[in-house]
Amino acid sequence: MPITLGLLLALSFVVSLLALAFLIWAISNRQITIDQHDAETVFEPGEERGDAGEETQLHKFDPVQAGIDQISSRPVLVLITAATLWLVAGSFFGLIASLKLHWPDWLDFAAPLTFGRMRTLHLNLVVYGWLSQAGVASVVWIIPRIFHTPLRRPKPVLWGASLWNIGVTLGALAIARGWTDGEEWLEIPWQVDILLAAGGACFIAPLIQTARARQVHHIYVSGWYFLAAILWFPVLFVVANLPLYGGAQEATINWWFAHNVLGLWLTPLGVGAAYYFIPKIIGKPIYSYAVSLLGFWGLALFYSQVGIHHLIGGPVPTWLVTLSVVHSVMMFIPVIAVAINQHVTVAMNLWALKESIPLRFISFGAVMYTLASFQGSIEALRSVNTITHFTQYTVGHAHLGAYAFVSLVMFGAIYQILPRATGRVFPWPGLLKLHFWLVAIGFAIYFFALSIGGVLQGLAMLDATRPFRDSVEVVLPYLQARSVGGALMTLGHLVFALNLLGLALAARGESATTVAAE
């Protein structure tokens, strides 16, 4: 067995042992309980609708009165602002890449404008610029609230944001000039990745210190997801960037990272945020708190080997791919646990969807998480993978998870956070609704076009009686539909940025009025 493959398996085994150790610690410290009252940690006194009485007041805390939000606000605003700028830039690169699939001669006068570089810029700006920073902003906002203590050392978070954005900027310039590491989700050169690693370390230290200084015994389920994510990501990122791999081993490490950065980094950020904001907005605890903990530990124990199913048919050991397929199917357990909690809680309080636009984004994203996970588990089966692999179907699936799930949850989280971080409301509430419908309709067109076109493309490639050209021509109209959906989504992102700009201008105008009055 090659040493790199052995390293991967040894590392996965160590991670599983660590997860098991934390599970034992959690049980011994009564962190895993069936006490539904622990679900009320997210509520402030008198905030829960149909309050159960004085017995549950011990779980409640007023973060505004304690000054917690004031300390968290500045780093959160910086992260959200930077994330939004990268979202807009990444969206335009993605739209250009999509149009080039059916307009191949468009913008062909310079190397940085080729499909390969535009698509790579889109991926890295969206993943590292938008999703990661929006997720960290949610963590920085939520962790002090659920732990009932102010954020420790907020300045390093600002330093981390600066280093992270410098790293993303230099990475984008390197990719545009053709300097990359040439691996999916790892295209940014490792020399630049050092800045991202340093920025990430600046995020992690204050959050760990805040967790250690918590004023509550029980760790709410969102805390488990967040703390695990900020510990998992550095391990994934550093190991994947080690210059030890080549050939098939490099591909194995690459897809181990690429899938785990979605499942062990972005997914915990999205699920953790949804577990906090859904009951918070509705004013009712999640349906079953015990089941929520089952969902987290299922993710921790089953996800680490899922990504290798992307190498079905490749020059890797069959048993390794089979192990990945088994892990993929086992993911039904934590996904169903999350679905029971989040969807049932919303379904029992449908009135809240009419009143809260942020809840529409978050609940829609939560549903997409369920669908993306089920689709991923089914797609890992060899009989299905044979058809869908190397087709546009996989692109649609990736966007179902990273965009329809994580991005929509982040949109809702930001819409919920900003009025509380700034003390002001959005000046144009109608644009929030417009944003939702643009991205929801745009994504529906995008996803169904690629799913249908991808299956037809795969069947055409498997038919030995048909020339390869048929597989290209059959998917062409679906690629055109993809661009239509992508254009609507990009327009929605511009509306999102306009909403944030309107809030910032309203805040500046109010400050100027106050100064003039004084």
Side-chain angles (χ1 to χ4, degrees):
M1 180 182 297
I3 186 171
T4 53
L5 186 56
L7 175 63
L8 170 64
L9 294 176
L11 179 64
S12 298
F13 179 69
V14 170
V15 170
S16 298
L17 287 180
L18 288 175
L20 182 60
F22 276 115
L23 177 59
I24 295 171
W25 175 88
I27 294 173
S28 63
N29 284 271
R30 298 182 180 179
Q31 292 292 339
I32 298 183
T33 67
I34 56 174
D35 188 354
Q36 185 66 10
H37 288 162
D38 288 330
E40 298 168 3
T41 306
V42 300
F43 298 116
E44 300 167 22
E47 184 181 33
E48 184 182 359
R49 298 174 186 267
D51 207 330
E54 297 182 358
E55 181 185 358
T56 63
Q57 293 301 313
L58 293 175
H59 295 271
K60 301 185 180 179
F61 180 74
D62 190 339
V64 177
Q65 189 175 13
I68 286 178
D69 293 348
Q70 185 177 1
I71 296 174
S72 304
S73 292
R74 188 180 178 190
V76 166
L77 292 175
V78 168
L79 287 165
I80 289 175
T81 301
T84 303
L85 293 175
W86 289 122
L87 171 67
V88 173
S91 299
F92 278 109
F93 289 134
L95 182 58
I96 292 172
S98 179
L99 290 169
K100 278 178 164 293
L101 289 173
H102 51 91
W103 292 348
D105 296 329
W106 182 55
L107 297 179
D108 62 350
F109 53 84
L113 297 176
T114 57
F115 171 82
R117 299 191 190 179
M118 287 288 100
R119 190 264 178 188
T120 304
L121 281 168
H122 163 68
L123 172 64
N124 284 271
L125 295 189
V126 169
V127 171
Y128 299 108
W130 155 243
L131 289 174
S132 294
Q133 291 195 93
V136 172
S138 298
V139 174
V140 171
W141 180 260
I142 294 171
I143 275 189
R145 283 175 152 241
I146 61 176
F147 288 159
H148 299 181
T149 189
L151 176 69
R152 296 303 193 269
R153 302 177 63 190
K155 284 187 178 180
V157 179
L158 295 173
W159 303 339
S162 298
L163 289 171
W164 191 274
N165 283 287
I166 292 172
V168 174
T169 302
L170 294 178
L173 292 174
I175 292 170
R177 292 179 59 85
W179 176 29
T180 81
D181 285 346
E183 296 175 313
E184 189 88 0
W185 295 64
L186 286 168
E187 289 91 351
I188 295 177
W190 67 265
Q191 295 88 339
V192 179
D193 284 333
I194 294 174
L195 288 173
L196 296 178
C202 292
F203 294 145
I204 294 169
L207 293 171
I208 295 297
Q209 291 180 9
T210 304
R212 292 184 63 184
R214 69 185 189 275
Q215 299 301 306
V216 292
H217 171 72
H218 181 75
I219 299 176
Y220 182 70
V221 62
S222 295
W224 281 111
Y225 279 103
F226 292 156
L227 293 174
I230 64 176
L231 293 176
W232 281 330
F233 181 73
V235 175
L236 298 171
F237 195 70
V238 171
V239 170
N241 276 288
L242 292 175
L244 302 175
Y245 323 113
Q249 294 81 30
E250 186 175 7
T252 303
I253 295 293
N254 182 195
W255 278 110
W256 171 79
F257 171 81
H259 225 290
N260 281 339
V261 79
L262 176 61
L264 299 181
W265 171 236
L266 298 181
T267 292
L269 297 180
V271 173
Y275 262 127
Y276 177 80
F277 285 114
I278 287 176
K280 185 76 171 175
I281 295 172
I282 293 174
K284 296 286 184 65
I286 56 176
Y287 180 72
S288 172
Y289 192 70
V291 171
S292 73
L293 297 176
L294 172 64
F296 168 74
W297 290 107
L299 177 74
L301 295 172
F302 298 141
Y303 200 92
S304 65
Q305 294 299 322
V306 165
I308 311 302
H309 73 248
H310 282 275
L311 298 176
I312 291 177
V316 295
T318 302
W319 65 264
L320 184 63
V321 175
T322 301
L323 177 65
S324 177
V325 174
V326 172
H327 277 237
S328 298
V329 175
M330 292 297 290
M331 278 300 298
F332 275 112
I333 295 174
V335 172
I336 291 173
V338 173
I340 289 173
N341 265 311
Q342 297 185 355
H343 306 338
V344 172
T345 303
V346 174
M348 294 174 64
N349 300 276
L350 291 177
W351 55 268
L353 292 175
K354 298 180 181 179
E355 297 186 10
S356 174
I357 297 175
L359 182 63
R360 296 183 196 178
F361 281 97
I362 295 170
S363 60
F364 185 87
V367 172
M368 294 302 104
Y369 169 65
T370 304
L371 297 180
S373 300
F374 284 179
Q375 184 188 39
S377 296
I378 295 172
E379 191 178 351
L381 301 176
R382 285 183 172 86
S383 58
V384 177
N385 193 277
T386 301
I387 299 173
T388 61
H389 205 40
F390 301 121
T391 72
Q392 295 293 327
Y393 183 94
T394 304
V395 179
H397 168 66
H399 282 76
L400 182 62
Y403 183 82
F405 161 43
V406 186
S407 282
L408 264 72
V409 169
M410 290 302 124
F411 288 141
I414 290 172
Y415 280 141
Q416 186 71 10
I417 289 171
L418 284 182
R420 289 151 184 82
T422 62
R424 297 167 184 88
V425 297
F426 288 99
W428 310 305
L431 290 183
L432 274 69
K433 297 180 182 178
L434 177 62
H435 174 204
F436 175 79
W437 288 113
L438 282 172
V439 297
I441 295 173
F443 178 76
I445 296 172
Y446 185 102
F447 176 74
F448 285 110
L450 290 187
S451 296
I452 297 171
V455 171
L456 296 177
Q457 181 186 17
L459 292 174
M461 287 193 293
L462 289 172
D463 190 344
T465 65
R466 301 173 66 179
F468 180 77
R469 178 176 177 175
D470 285 359
S471 68
V472 178
E473 293 178 343
V474 74
V475 80
L476 183 60
Y478 299 97
L479 294 178
Q480 295 168 341
R482 163 188 171 154
S483 294
V484 173
L488 290 176
M489 291 152 65
T490 301
L491 182 58
H493 302 161
L494 291 175
V495 173
F496 172 65
L498 182 61
N499 283 327
L500 270 57
L501 179 62
L503 186 66
L505 293 176
R508 178 175 296 182
E510 183 176 325
S511 299
T513 302
T514 302
V515 171
E518 293 175 351

